[in-house]
Amino acid sequence: MSNHARRERLLLVDLLESAGPDAPTLCKGWTTRDLAAHVVVRERRPDAAGGIMIKPLAGRLAKIQGEFAAKPYPELLELIRTGPPRLSLFGIPGADELANTVEFFVHGEDVRRAQDGWAPRVLDPEFADVLWRRLAQSASMNGRRSPSGLVLRRPDGQTAVARKGAPVVTVTGEPGELLLFVMGRQDQAQVELEGDKEAVDRVQTAELGM
């Protein structure tokens, strides 16, 4: 596995383990056990994981995910820790880094920020740049449901357009915070919003993300 994805994987497992199986997360309606089951199904059951994006398959996904959630919690965490099986699409060289770096970072924050007394994670500059590149690549997909124009801006002035249109709302923050914002965690993202007040309010409550 590549370094960033591997590190984020292990950090996610540590957070899930520390929180325990019944802790809340930022994923609506999911406990840490549910989140762990989601991660396992996504990597190990492609026959069901399609339901994440394809609504007609959602019923099968829910069934399979429920079956995994019923497993002992330490077993779920070990399945995440050991990574995808060789026959998984995620086992293809380079796929883990490409598909899981952002996934695991965001889910780690889903666990961290749902707990009392959480503190922001300070990212090293190299990893922040990695997240920024991924954010810029996926901005238009994650921002497609924004009710107004949406621009994401780093403190150094670099920008990515998440949705074209007017009025424009500009969201400024570090790459990790911008990722959380545009992936639907607006309430927890530490960012600043600029623009027409009504447009800002609409963006703040919009269903952003995949």
Side-chain angles (χ1 to χ4, degrees):
M1 297 179 194
S2 300
N3 290 337
H4 295 303
R6 179 61 176 169
R7 181 182 66 181
E8 295 307 303
R9 178 187 297 277
L10 297 179
L11 285 172
L12 173 59
V13 172
D14 286 347
L15 287 164
L16 289 167
E17 191 170 45
S18 296
D22 302 312
T25 73
L26 299 186
C27 299
K28 187 177 180 180
W30 281 5
T31 64
T32 40
R33 178 185 294 278
D34 298 318
L35 179 53
H38 158 76
V39 172
V40 172
V41 171
R42 179 176 169 273
E43 285 197 315
R44 294 173 176 266
R45 290 296 301 269
D47 58 311
I52 296 172
M53 300 293 292
I54 305 171
K55 288 186 178 180
L57 302 179
R60 176 169 176 76
L61 170 62
K63 178 178 181 296
I64 300 299
Q65 190 163 306
E67 292 172 356
F68 273 95
K71 292 180 178 292
Y73 193 60
E75 182 178 332
L76 279 177
L77 299 191
E78 187 60 23
L79 289 172
I80 299 172
R81 182 182 287 110
T82 55
R86 286 191 299 175
L87 295 181
S88 167
L89 291 174
F90 294 96
I92 298 172
D96 187 58
E97 181 76 358
L98 181 64
N100 284 332
T101 299
V102 169
E103 177 84 4
F104 292 154
F105 167 76
V106 170
H107 282 325
E109 295 306 296
D110 285 336
V111 177
R112 182 196 312 277
R113 299 185 186 213
Q115 314 310 313
D116 292 335
W118 70 271
R121 176 181 166 189
V122 178
L123 305 181
D124 65 77
E126 178 187 354
F127 188 52
D129 286 342
V130 168
L131 293 183
W132 174 254
R133 290 195 293 271
R134 300 295 177 81
L135 172 66
Q137 292 165 358
S138 63
S140 60
M141 175 65 72
N142 284 312
R144 69 192 186 282
R145 291 197 294 265
S146 173
S148 69
L150 185 61
V151 173
L152 310 173
R153 182 172 65 195
R154 294 183 74 168
D156 65 6
Q158 294 183 73
T159 61
V161 177
R163 188 176 186 279
K164 295 180 180 179
V168 175
V169 173
T170 300
V171 186
T172 302
E174 297 295 339
E177 302 299 326
L178 293 173
L179 261 174
L180 292 170
F181 186 92
V182 82
M183 293 183 74
R185 283 78 169 172
Q186 295 101 305
D187 287 346
Q188 294 293 328
Q190 298 193 331
V191 296
E192 295 182 359
L193 285 78
E194 302 172 45
D196 175 80
K197 184 181 184 305
E198 290 186 4
V200 167
D201 290 343
R202 289 196 299 271
V203 166
Q204 187 69 44
T205 58
E207 292 187 9
L208 302 179
M210 298 288 186

